[in-house]
Every structure is written in structure tokens, then in C-alpha cells.
């Protein structure tokens, strides 16, 4: 008897859903069985400890001196007290096992939902001729010297590219260099450097209708990650010069300033403007945040996302396509780069109680999460600090953030690691249906 592969996949999906539901049920029942009525106390103490910790962190960020030190002690003491409370009643093992069961429930549930085809939306690839006159800009200091360490200049020149190495001691206008190269006949523009430099040259590529090459030689290279490029070995990005395909992705703008990742406003943008930030990030942040978060310093902003007001946020992040918010491991990543929508994340917290309320996630009163095609940021001053792909700028208000859908042609290697898999949100109703069905379920479809 030969087992039908499809039937095996259906069975795996069905049993993953059942495992998830069973683990979740045991995670609820276990404390009730071993703790009885005290299980409610366990829950209250746990939630209370989390709220106190969140409030303490708020005090650490908004106070100085003795109060900050006391808040830091409380932020550490609160979770330790909760653990001690559980242990004194010989129930710590119950809590740990229950949390483990919930971890299994989430893991198995996501596996079942993912097998239905969730997130399996391929990014369209376009076959285009290899460039004949590629022009690349490389920053030798970016990413701790990756350009030299991986021999990027030498490999690119062997593949027929013209390479300009930036001189860190004499800043150059990379956009002007890219325009000059385009005028001289370059048919591809590329950058080995940070996301800020990538954005400037990408805008020129859009302006001239040329393909753009991303070489992941920066420190973090979030854009390269979301394109599915290899960040461990940036030399593989150069394979696109001979064996590549094109992706059509969006490009964001804050007024005339392009961004491939995001534009940040408010507290973070003000901190990175400080000359002391480069030398001592932690100390500078702790010194400036109290005045910024309590509104004693910095602009008072009002933002509108497609006309919907976001009043007085202390921090606002506008991203080129929305970031994931339901997966802690995936924070800072984008599922799509071609949705034609800006991601909008606003934070407004005025006291410790509201800081604790952020534990509710997207439902928190002080948190705004949405998408928009246009975001308008105004303030009570003529210029405000804006962090554009990590670059600190002063920009005249109002700042209009917009997105240019599919404007950027990115040439990538045909063979590349790919974008990290999307973790689907938990949908318990859908899991019950998947687990209850006898026979074929929803593999490869979205019928639930």
C-alpha cells in the first residue's frame, strides 16, 4: 500500500492542530488541578509583577538620580518576587510546565496554520538582461570593514563593474556620484554600505529608471534582510551582476528624503541628533530621555495617517511597508516590500499606568498601529529632528511621508537565502476547525 503524500500532509496538519489545542488545554488545566483556587492568585500575582516591572522601566526612563536607581531595583525585584512567591508555595514547577505547554501550543498551532498556505505569497521576479556598465559605491568602513574583508571591490571589478571607494575622512555626495555615473552611461547603480547610503542611491536609480543593487556590507542591513539577501557573506550579492532577477519594491520619502526602512520622529530622533550619542549611546540616551518623554524638551507633534489624527505621540515610526508586530522574534522585519503602504507606529505614554498598559500590545491605549499611504507630521516649531534610515536630519515641518509603490527595481541574485518565514498569528477558531475535520483539510488553501 502506497501512502498518498497529500494525505500524509493533511494528517500532519490535522494532528498539529490537535496537539496545539491539547497543549493549550493542559496549560490551563494544570494550574487548576495542582493549585485549585490558588490558580487565580497565581495569575493575579504574575500579571501584577509584569505591570510593576513595566511601570518601573517607565520610571527608569523618565527620572534621574535616586528615583531612577530605586526604579531600576524595583524592575529587577518585581519578577524575582513573583518567582519567589511561586517557589514558596511549591508551585513554580507548575507555572514553568504550564508556560512550556503554551509554548508547544503556539509552535504546533502556527505549524498547522502555516501548512494551509499562510504567508506563502511569492515575490514576483522579473527576468532582465545582465547590466553591461554597472556602477557601485562602496564604503570601506561600513560594517566594520566588510568591503575589504570580503574583497568586494576586486570581485566587482572582475565582473565588469566600475567601483568608487568612499573616503570616510572626506565626505562625498553619493547621490551626486550616482547621477554622474548615470549620465556617463551606467545601466545599474549599487551600494555596499549602510541603509542610509542605500536609500540615497536608490532614489537616484528610481529617478533615472535604472536597476539598483544592494550589497549587504552595512552593520545591520535591514533592507537586505527583507530582500532575502545573504548578510553573512555580502560578496554573494554581487552574483546578481551575472545571474540575477529583478524585484519591484516600494520606496518611502520624508519630504524629499528617501528611506528604504523608516523615518523616526520624536524621542529617538532627538537622541540620535546629540553629538554625544556616537561616543556613548547608553549614557546619552538615559540623560536625554527624561525631558523628552515628559515633554519638557522636544517638539509637540501631531500626526495624521491618511487623515486620521495621532495626537501628541512621544515617538512615531513611519516605515516603508509595515513591520511585523505579532511575533517578538520577527520584530524589525517586514513581510512585504511591495504592499504600497506605509507602516505607522505611534507611542503616547504619560505615566506609569499607561506604560504598564502597553503590555496589552496592539490594544493598548497609548499605542497606534496602522498603515497608510501618506503620513503628515506637524509640530510646534519650524524644524524637527528626523531619523531617516538611521541618519540624523533636521527637516522643515510639516513633514509629508509618502510611498512610491513599486518604484524601485532591485536586482538580486537568483540564488539567495530568502526572506525569513512569516509566523502566522494564532487563530484558535481556525485551529478547532482544522483539528476537527476528518480526512482532507486545508493544505495549500485558505478555505477556513
Amino acid at each position: 500500500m502506497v501512502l498518498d503524500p497529500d494525505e500524509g500532509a493533511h494528517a500532519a496538519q490535522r494532528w498539529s492542530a490537535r496537539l496545539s489545542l491539547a497543549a493549550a488545554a493542559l496549560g490551563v488545566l494544570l494550574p487548576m488541578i495542582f493549585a485549585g483556587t490558588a490558580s487565580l492568585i497565581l495569575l493575579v500575582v504574575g500579571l501584577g509583577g509584569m505591570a510593576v516591572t513595566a511601570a518601573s522601566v517607565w520610571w527608569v526612563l523618565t527620572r534621574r538620580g535616586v528615583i531612577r536607581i530605586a526604579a531600576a531595583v524595583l524592575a529587577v525585584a518585581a519578577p524575582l518576587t513573583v518567582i519567589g512567591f511561586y517557589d514558596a508555595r511549591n508551585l513554580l514547577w507548575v507555572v514553568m510546565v504550564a508556560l512550556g505547554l503554551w509554548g508547544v501550543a503556539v509552535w504546533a498551532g502556527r505549524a498547522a496554520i502555516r501548512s494551509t498556505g499562510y504567508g506563502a505569497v511569492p515575490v514576483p521576479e522579473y527576468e532582465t538582461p545582465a547590466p553591461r556598465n554597472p556602477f557601485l559605491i562602496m564604503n570601506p568602513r561600513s560594517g566594520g570593514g566588510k568591503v575589504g574583508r570580503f574583497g568586494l571591490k576586486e570581485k566587482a571589478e572582475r565582473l565588469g563593474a566600475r567601483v568608487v571607494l568612499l573616503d570616510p575622512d572626506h565626505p562625498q555626495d553619493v547621490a551626486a556620484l550616482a547621477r554622474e555615473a548615470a549620465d556617463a552611461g551606467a545601466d545599474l547603480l549599487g551600494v555596499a554600505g549602510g541603509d542610509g547610503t542605500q536609500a540615497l542611491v536608490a532614489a537616484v536609480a528610481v529617478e533615472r529608471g535604472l536597476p539598483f543593487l544592494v550589497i549587504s556590507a552595512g552593520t545591520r542591513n535591514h533592507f537586505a534582510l527583507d530582500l532575502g539577501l545573504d548578510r553573512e557573506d555580502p560578496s554573494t550579492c554581487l552574483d546578481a551582476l551575472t545571474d540575477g532577477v529583478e524585484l519591484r519594491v516600494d520606496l518611502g520619502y520624508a519630504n524629499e528624503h528617501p528611506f528604504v526602512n523608516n523615518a523616526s520622529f520624536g524621542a529617538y530622533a532627538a537622541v540620535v541628533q546629540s553629538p554625544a550619542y556616537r561616543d556613548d549611546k547608553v549614557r546619552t540616551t538615559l540623560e536625554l530621555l527624561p525631558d523628552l518623554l515628559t515633554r519638557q524638551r522636544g517638539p509637540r507633534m501631531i500626526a495624521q495617517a491618511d487623515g486620521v489624527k495621532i495626537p501628541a505621540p512621544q515617538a512615531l515610526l513611519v516605515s516603508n511597508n509595515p513591520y511585523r508586530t505579532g511575533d517578538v522574534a520577527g520584530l524589525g522585519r517586514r513581510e512585504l516590500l511591495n504592499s504600497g503602504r506605509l507602516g505607522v507606529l505611534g507611542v503616547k505614554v504619560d505615566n506609569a499606568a499607561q506604560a504598564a498598559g502597553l503590555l496589552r500590545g496592539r490594544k493598548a491605549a497609548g499605542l497606534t498601529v496602522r498603515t497608510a499611504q501618506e503620513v503628515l507630521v506637524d509640530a510646534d516649531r519650524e524644524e524637527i529632528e528626523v531619523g531617516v534610515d538611521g541618519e540624523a536630519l533636521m527637516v522643515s515641518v510639516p513633514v509629508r511621508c509618502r510611498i512610491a509603490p513599486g518604484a524601485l527595481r532591485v536586482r538580486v541574485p537568483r540564488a539567495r537565502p530568502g526572506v525569513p518565514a512569516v509566523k502566522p498569528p494564532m487563530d484558535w477558531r481556525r485551529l478547532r476547525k482544522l483539528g476537527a475535520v476528518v480526512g482532507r483539510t486545508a493544505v495549500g488553501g485558505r478555505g477556513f
Side-chain angles (χ1 to χ4, degrees), residues 22-361:
L26 284 174
V28 172
L29 291 174
L30 188 69
M32 297 176 64
I33 293 171
F34 287 93
T37 56
S39 59
L40 181 60
I41 298 176
L42 295 181
L43 179 62
V44 171
V45 169
L47 293 176
M50 293 172 63
V52 170
T53 302
S56 301
V57 171
W58 168 256
W59 289 321
V60 169
L61 297 176
T62 58
R63 299 293 187 270
R64 295 186 176 92
V66 176
I67 297 179
R68 170 176 280 173
I69 295 172
V73 172
L74 183 59
V76 175
L80 293 178
T81 300
V82 171
I83 293 173
F85 177 85
Y86 292 159
D87 189 46
R89 284 154 181 76
N90 197 30
L91 294 174
L92 181 60
W93 72 272
V94 175
V95 175
M96 298 303 293
V97 172
L99 290 175
L101 286 169
W102 274 100
V104 171
V106 171
W107 171 77
R110 282 179 168 168
I113 294 173
R114 190 183 297 115
S115 68
T116 66
Y118 178 92
V121 181
V123 178
E125 297 180 352
Y126 299 90
E127 296 285 345
T128 57
R132 292 187 175 185
N133 301 298
F135 173 77
L136 307 179
I137 296 173
M138 297 187 179
N139 183 348
R141 288 189 183 176
S142 187
K146 288 182 179 178
V147 169
R149 194 159 66 249
F150 288 92
L152 299 182
K153 180 177 183 293
E154 293 75 16
K155 179 176 180 179
E157 289 177 338
R158 286 197 301 271
L159 295 173
R162 182 162 73 91
V163 179
V164 168
L165 283 181
L166 298 177
D167 183 352
D169 296 323
H170 299 87
Q172 295 166 275
D173 185 338
V174 294
L177 289 174
R179 289 191 181 95
E180 290 171 5
D183 291 339
D187 57 358
L188 175 142
L189 302 176
V191 174
D195 289 321
T197 307
Q198 299 276 1
L200 292 172
V201 179
V204 177
V206 170
E207 174 188 309
R208 299 301 179 90
L210 298 176
F212 178 63
L213 178 65
V214 175
I215 305 171
S216 56
T219 303
R220 289 174 292 274
N221 279 128
H222 293 297
F223 189 47
L225 173 68
D226 294 330
L227 287 169
L229 299 175
D230 188 344
R231 296 194 303 172
E232 300 302 318
D233 184 359
S235 68
T236 60
C237 298
L238 292 170
D239 295 340
L241 294 175
T242 54
D243 185 23
V245 292
E246 282 190 11
L247 310 177
R248 309 289 167 84
V249 304
D250 308 332
L251 185 64
Y253 291 86
N255 284 354
E256 73 278 10
H257 304 285
F259 58 89
V260 293
N261 290 325
N262 58 61
S264 59
F265 304 81
Y268 172 74
V271 168
V272 298
Q273 287 281 349
S274 171
Y277 180 75
R278 299 294 179 188
D279 297 326
D280 194 339
K281 292 181 172 60
V282 174
R283 183 175 180 178
T284 304
T285 300
L286 291 175
E287 178 63 28
L288 296 178
L289 276 183
D291 290 343
L292 292 169
L293 294 179
T294 57
R295 306 183 192 280
Q296 299 177 53
R297 177 179 174 179
R300 187 174 182 87
M301 299 185 299
I302 295 179
Q304 295 185 54
D306 283 349
V308 178
K309 288 187 177 181
I310 307 172
Q314 285 129 316
L316 181 71
L317 186 74
V318 180
S319 58
N320 173 21
N321 286 261
Y323 289 109
R324 301 181 194 176
T325 56
D327 171 23
V328 175
L331 292 178
R333 296 177 184 172
R334 291 163 288 185
E335 297 176 5
L336 295 172
L337 287 173
N338 60 349
S339 71
R341 306 284 291 179
L342 296 167
V344 184
L345 178 64
V347 179
K348 181 178 183 292
V349 178
D350 292 320
N351 52 56
Q354 290 180 358
L358 292 178
L359 293 172
R360 299 178 61 200

Side-chain angles (χ1 to χ4, degrees), residues 309-444:
K309 288 187 177 181
I310 307 172
Q314 285 129 316
L316 181 71
L317 186 74
V318 180
S319 58
N320 173 21
N321 286 261
Y323 289 109
R324 301 181 194 176
T325 56
D327 171 23
V328 175
L331 292 178
R333 296 177 184 172
R334 291 163 288 185
E335 297 176 5
L336 295 172
L337 287 173
N338 60 349
S339 71
R341 306 284 291 179
L342 296 167
V344 184
L345 178 64
V347 179
K348 181 178 183 292
V349 178
D350 292 320
N351 52 56
Q354 290 180 358
L358 292 178
L359 293 172
R360 299 178 61 200
R362 294 176 67 105
K363 296 181 180 179
L367 192 65
T368 299
V369 182
R370 59 183 302 116
T371 65
Q373 289 185 312
E374 181 178 283
V375 178
L376 197 66
V377 183
D378 208 342
D380 58 353
R381 55 186 62 184
E382 294 183 354
E383 287 186 326
I384 58 174
E385 300 94 343
V386 184
V388 180
D389 279 342
E391 300 295 326
L393 304 174
M394 293 296 297
V395 182
S396 300
V397 297
V399 183
R400 175 176 174 253
C401 297
R402 60 183 177 85
I403 193 163
L408 183 60
R409 299 164 50 196
V410 183
R411 188 169 180 87
V412 297
R414 192 182 304 274
R416 57 192 186 279
V419 179
V422 176
K423 292 185 178 181
M426 291 297 290
D427 186 336
W428 297 106
R429 179 181 298 179
R430 191 175 190 188
L431 283 173
R432 287 197 300 270
K433 291 181 179 180
L434 291 174
V437 172
V438 177
R440 292 182 179 270
T441 57
V443 168

